[in-house]
Amino acid sequence: MENTELIVNGKSRKLKADSRVTLLDALRNHLGLSGTKKGCDHGQCGACTVIVEGRRINSCLTLVCMHDGDEITTIEGLGEPGNLSGLQSAFVAHDGFQCGYCTPGQICSATAMLEEAKAGWPSFVSGDLEGPKALSNEEISERMSGNLCRCAAYPNIVNAIRQVAGEKS
């Protein structure tokens, strides 16, 4: 058993878990944060996306013991009923969800993606490697391609992200 300390949604959390426990399972089963979803358990769907040290990751593909001392933000840390984040409000306004299963991962991914774009990080479809990136539909779709929605709410998800990014939707 490994002793691991995480800073989850701004609070220090200590847990004792087998060294084979994934970050996803630690969040859900050891810390009771059920917002992060287990989708494919292979890193292919993005339902388990969380933000670790400012970067989005698939929590099903990493071990909790590898994140001792790391700052982790889950959907629960982005907003709550009555005090939603901008993206959460935009997802509601644009009906950016159907069944809602993928929504926590979509919102965590989009939160980090907006910061990446603001920092000037290019994507595969970016026209150049320098400067700020305009978040066109194609740019957002490429940057969010690791997050699948089986209900196909993609146009609404893109519109929600564009609203928060300040783009016309």
Side-chain angles (χ1 to χ4, degrees), residues 56 106 109-110 113 140-147 157 161:
R56 53 189 166 152
Q106 295 274 1
S109 186
M113 181 274 292
I140 292 171
S141 294
E142 171 62 25
R143 290 173 182 267
M144 293 294 293
S145 64
N147 292 84
I157 291 168
I161 293 169

Side-chain angles (χ1 to χ4, degrees), residues 65-77:
C65 63
M66 297 169 61
H67 297 284
D68 191 41
D70 283 356
E71 288 190 36
I72 299 164
T73 303
T74 67
I75 191 68
E76 293 92 346

Side-chain angles (χ1 to χ4, degrees), residues 51 54-56 87 106-121 123 135-136 139-145 147 157-158 161-162 165:
I51 303 167
R55 307 265 324 252
R56 53 189 166 152
L87 270 169
Q106 295 274 1
I107 291 173
C108 283
S109 186
T111 299
M113 181 274 292
L114 288 170
E115 292 302 313
E116 294 164 9
K118 223 185 276 182
W121 294 12
S123 78
L135 291 176
S136 64
E139 189 75 37
I140 292 171
S141 294
E142 171 62 25
R143 290 173 182 267
M144 293 294 293
S145 64
N147 292 84
I157 291 168
V158 169
I161 293 169
R162 287 188 73 179

